[in-house]
Amino acid sequence: MDAFPRVIVEAGLHGVPTIGSSRGGIPEAVRGGGIILHPDNVDGWVQAIDKADRADLGANARSGAAPLVRPCLPELAAAGLIPAAAAAD
């Protein structure tokens, strides 16, 4: 089990907002790019799914996710795991 929900960051990079639980690292990953709800708030989940402003939340998700990633290819090339030319692309 991951301590940090990377799939939320991946979705955010594509402008897809998240409706997530207030548990674990989910709020940290969602930032302003989604809606955080208590897991037991069934009515809140239904309303969020139905009425979320996907365009604004998607833009927020993209800008919030960008600082959470970094290029890893140079590190992989330096470790000899991939050819240096692959890291330059």
Side-chain angles (χ1 to χ4, degrees), residues 7 26 65 69 82 85 89:
V7 69
I26 293 172
V69 297
I82 63 170
D89 292 337

Side-chain angles (χ1 to χ4, degrees), residues 5-79:
R6 292 179 290 177
V7 69
I8 292 172
V9 175
E10 292 173 19
L13 292 171
H14 294 280
V16 177
T18 296
I19 298 172
S21 163
S22 58
R23 304 282 166 102
I26 293 172
E28 181 184 359
V30 171
R31 296 180 168 205
I35 300 169
I36 300 298
L37 298 163
H38 189 277
D40 297 333
N41 183 358
V42 176
D43 291 333
W45 284 84
V46 171
Q47 289 178 6
I49 292 167
D50 190 40
K51 298 179 180 175
D53 182 348
R54 290 170 177 83
D56 284 343
L57 289 174
N60 290 345
R62 184 177 288 116
S63 63
L68 299 175
V69 297
R70 62 183 175 77
C72 63
L73 293 180
E75 292 175 30
L76 294 173

